[in-house]
Amino acid sequence: MWSHIAPLIADEDGTISDAFGTWVQKSMYGRKYMGMERATFLIAADGRTLREWRKVKVPGHAEQVLETLRTAG
């Protein structure tokens, strides 16, 4: 179905989260802090970002991504 599926990667030094803008200021109960925005990026083999989902909610998200993959290829 897909020509290439890359492995998951770890962003130990924060370079990738800085590039994608996912290390953001958050707030809980009036307290502000820095944290990771839950996001998914669909990246083509040539490095282009085909689709991005920001502020992801877990229920149903995997199905959304799979449907995008099915219709894209």
Side-chain angles (χ1 to χ4, degrees), residues 2 9 24 36 47 53:
W2 304 291
I9 57 175
V24 297
M36 190 62 64
W53 292 264

Side-chain angles (χ1 to χ4, degrees), residues 2 42 51 53 61-73:
W2 304 291
L42 180 57
R51 175 83 193 268
W53 292 264
H61 180 60
E63 290 79 8
Q64 289 176 333
V65 175
L66 288 172
E67 183 59 28
T68 300
L69 287 170
R70 282 188 202 103
T71 59

Side-chain angles (χ1 to χ4, degrees), residues 7-56:
L8 293 176
I9 57 175
D11 184 23
E12 294 182 32
D13 65 359
T15 302
I16 298 168
S17 56
D18 285 343
F20 282 92
T22 55
W23 186 250
V24 297
Q25 185 177 50
K26 300 175 118 183
S27 178
M28 185 184 310
Y29 305 114
R31 182 180 151 270
K32 294 185 190 264
Y33 62 96
M34 294 301 289
M36 190 62 64
E37 175 187 61
R38 189 172 288 176
T40 301
F41 299 89
L42 180 57
I43 302 172
D46 64 5
R48 290 177 300 123
T49 301
L50 300 176
R51 175 83 193 268
E52 63 182 63
W53 292 264
R54 299 284 184 155
K55 299 182 180 178
V56 171

